[in-house]
């Protein structure tokens, strides 16, 4: 027996039982776990596969040729990854580009803009003149009608019947003696007067006696009361640039049936027979518009400022006769100066009464023989 203590026999430690899982694993659960799907990586791989051949060709062309002692390293070849059949390849959107068929218009030049502005100003001026004419007519409808002052007639005198017999007998003797031959004309001044009336100068005799156109008769439609020589003398007395056109005034008056005395009187009042410094018909360089009545443009083809511009005195004088005859006498039924002037020269820019009185006074003086 050995001296050493013998160890007591050790009892084996009990083996614990292994805990079993709560739910037993099936055969499918034992299979290795797969990684989650990566669709973006698959799409990128698909694109890499699509562009790999052309890029590889470019890389091969750009790679330098191998020289002495040069070895080209091997490049890893990317293998295409499998693309799921359910993933559709992206397609490049088609953008429809619509061509513009409208022609491009070049910017207008300065000359074209100036022409457009000039044309616009001309149309505006025509519209302004037409509006002014319409305003004249509207003012005429509401204007105070002109009434000429008529002198009061004296009450009739009580005449004895015997006195009337004496007067009638005396007048009869004078009339008979005027047609009694040469001796009667020497005895009575009425013979020479009647001879003048029936002789070579009927208009001058009628003007002297005042029988044809007495004072106070201001109807424009009448025979001429002035001869061409009388008209030239009147214009010359004013120093008018229209001196020498008396025959034109007279012949056009006969053509339109208007006494030329009224036309000359209008010319004198409107512009001093063309000598007034502030006359609208004065043009630079001493020329004139030949506008004897200051007729506004109102669509006339040639104008200077607001008024018509005529090439000659004959054209301007005829247009005045035509305007009075067509626009006022035939169009509106006006007959006298007092009817025409309130429309011709409205009161908002003219003295209508003063205008009428000046025309009446001038015509009366000329008819009474007071010609310069």
């Amino acid at each position: 027996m050995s001296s050493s203590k013998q160890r007591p026999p050790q009892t084996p430690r009990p083996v614990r039982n292994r805990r079993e899982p709560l739910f037993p694993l099936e055969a499918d659960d034992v299979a290795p776990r797969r990684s989650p799907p990566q669709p973006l990586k698959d799409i990128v791989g698909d694109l890499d596969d699509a562009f790999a051949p052309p890029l590889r060709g470019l890389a091969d062309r750009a790679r330098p040729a191998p020289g002495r002692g040069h070895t080209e390293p091997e490049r890893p070849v990317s293998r295409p990854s499998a693309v799921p059949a359910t993933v559709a390849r992206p397609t490049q959107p088609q953008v429809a580009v619509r061509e513009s068929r409208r022609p491009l218009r070049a910017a207008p030049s300065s000359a074209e803009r100036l022409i457009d502005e000039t044309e616009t100003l001309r149309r505006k001026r025509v519209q302004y003149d037409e509006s002014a004419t319409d305003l004249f007519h509207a003012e005429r409808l509401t204007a105070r009608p002109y009434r000429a002052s008529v002198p009061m007639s004296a009450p009739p005198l009580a005449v004895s019947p015997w006195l009337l017999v004496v007067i009638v007998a005396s007048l009869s003797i004078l009339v008979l003696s005027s047609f009694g031959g040469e001796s009667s004309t020497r005895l009575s001044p009425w013979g020479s007067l009647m001879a003048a009336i029936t002789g070579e100068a009927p208009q001058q005799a009628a003007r002297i006696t005042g029988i044809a156109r007495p004072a106070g008769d201001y109807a424009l439609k009448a025979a001429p009361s002035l001869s061409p020589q009388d008209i030239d003398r009147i214009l010359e007395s004013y120093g008018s640039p229209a001196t020498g056109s008396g025959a034109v005034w007279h012949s056009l008056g006969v053509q339109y049936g208007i006494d030329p005395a009224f036309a000359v009187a209008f010319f004198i009042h409107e512009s001093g027979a063309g000598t007034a410094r502030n006359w609208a018909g004065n043009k630079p360089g001493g020329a004139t518009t030949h506008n004897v009545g200051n007729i506004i443009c109102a669509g006339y083809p040639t104008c200077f400022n607001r008024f018509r511009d005529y090439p000659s005195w004959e054209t301007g004088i005829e247009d005045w006769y035509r305007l009075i005859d067509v626009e006022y006498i035939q169009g509106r039924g006006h007959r006298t100066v007092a009817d025409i002037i309130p429309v011709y020269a409205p009161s908002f820019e003219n003295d209508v009464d003063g205008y009428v009185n000046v025309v009446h006074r001038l015509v009366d003086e000329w008819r009474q023989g007071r010609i310069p």
Side-chain angles (χ1 to χ4, degrees):
M1 214 176 150
S2 140
S3 58
S4 63
K5 290 183 175 182
Q6 294 183 353
R7 295 180 180 180
Q10 297 180 357
T11 60
R13 186 176 294 180
V15 180
R16 298 180 179 179
N17 295 330
R18 188 173 182 180
R19 182 178 297 178
E20 295 297 331
L22 182 60
F23 299 100
L25 296 176
E26 298 294 337
D28 296 337
D29 296 335
V30 182
R33 178 179 295 178
R34 293 179 299 176
S35 60
Q38 299 180 358
L40 182 60
K41 182 176 181 182
D42 296 337
I43 294 174
V44 172
D46 186 25
L47 293 177
D48 291 340
D49 295 340
F51 290 102
L55 292 177
R56 189 181 299 111
L58 293 175
D60 295 341
R61 287 195 299 270
R63 185 182 304 115
R68 181 180 298 178
H70 174 75
T71 59
E72 184 179 359
E74 296 182 358
R75 297 183 59 188
V77 179
S78 60
R79 296 180 179 179
S81 59
V83 180
T86 59
V87 179
R89 296 184 179 182
T91 58
Q92 186 176 2
Q94 298 294 332
V95 180
V97 180
R98 181 179 181 183
E99 297 182 357
S100 177
R101 298 182 179 180
R102 181 178 299 176
L104 298 178
R105 182 179 180 183
S109 62
S110 58
E112 293 177 349
R113 289 196 301 268
L114 180 59
I115 293 174
D116 295 340
E117 293 175 358
T118 305
E119 181 64 21
T120 303
L121 290 176
R122 189 189 68 80
R123 289 197 300 268
K124 294 295 183 183
R125 185 178 61 185
V126 171
Q127 295 176 1
Y128 172 79
D129 293 336
E130 293 177 352
S131 300
T133 303
D134 295 338
L135 182 60
F136 293 165
H137 299 167
E139 288 289 338
R140 175 65 181 90
L141 296 176
T142 59
R144 177 178 58 86
Y146 173 78
R147 295 182 176 85
S149 58
V150 179
M152 297 181 62
S153 59
L157 299 176
V159 181
S160 174
W162 293 104
L163 182 58
L164 281 176
V165 172
V166 173
I167 294 174
V168 172
S170 301
L171 291 176
S172 301
I173 294 172
L174 290 175
V175 172
L176 292 175
S177 62
S178 63
F179 292 98
E182 295 181 357
S183 59
S184 62
T185 56
R186 284 193 296 267
L187 295 176
S188 175
W190 291 95
S192 59
L193 181 59
M194 296 301 296
I197 293 176
T198 57
E200 298 178 355
Q203 295 296 335
Q204 289 82 348
R207 188 181 68 247
I208 293 173
T209 58
I211 296 175
R213 298 300 304 274
D217 182 8
Y218 304 119
L220 277 76
K221 279 287 187 177
S225 60
L226 295 177
S227 66
Q229 294 77 15
D230 294 337
I231 298 174
D232 283 332
R233 287 170 56 187
I234 294 171
L235 296 177
E236 185 178 2
S237 67
Y238 282 90
S240 173
T243 302
S245 60
V248 176
W249 295 86
H250 188 273
S251 62
L252 290 174
V254 173
Q255 177 182 345
Y256 285 91
I258 298 175
D259 188 355
F262 294 106
V264 178
F266 270 70
F267 183 34
I268 291 173
H269 185 271
E270 288 286 343
S271 62
T275 60
R277 293 183 179 180
N278 58 347
W279 179 35
N282 289 325
K283 298 170 66 175
T288 65
T289 59
H290 307 98
N291 195 336
V292 298
N294 281 343
I295 304 173
I296 62 174
C297 189
Y300 195 76
T302 56
C303 299
F304 178 74
N305 294 331
R306 292 182 54 239
F307 302 95
R308 299 183 181 185
D309 186 9
Y310 303 102
S312 63
W313 289 112
E314 183 177 0
T315 307
I317 296 169
E318 183 177 5
D319 195 37
W320 185 90
Y321 278 112
R322 185 202 59 79
L323 177 68
I324 297 298
D325 183 38
V326 175
E327 182 71 18
Y328 292 92
I329 297 177
Q330 298 182 21
R332 293 180 172 83
H334 296 168
R335 294 291 180 267
T336 63
V337 174
D339 296 334
I340 291 175
I341 288 181
V343 183
Y344 186 90
S347 58
F348 65 86
E349 63 179 2
N350 294 277
D351 180 8
V352 176
D353 293 343
Y355 202 141
V356 173
N357 292 332
V358 167
V359 174
H360 287 178
R361 178 179 57 80
L362 291 174
V363 173
D364 288 341
E365 289 179 358
W366 297 334
R367 287 174 179 174
Q368 293 172 8
R370 295 198 295 269
I371 298 176

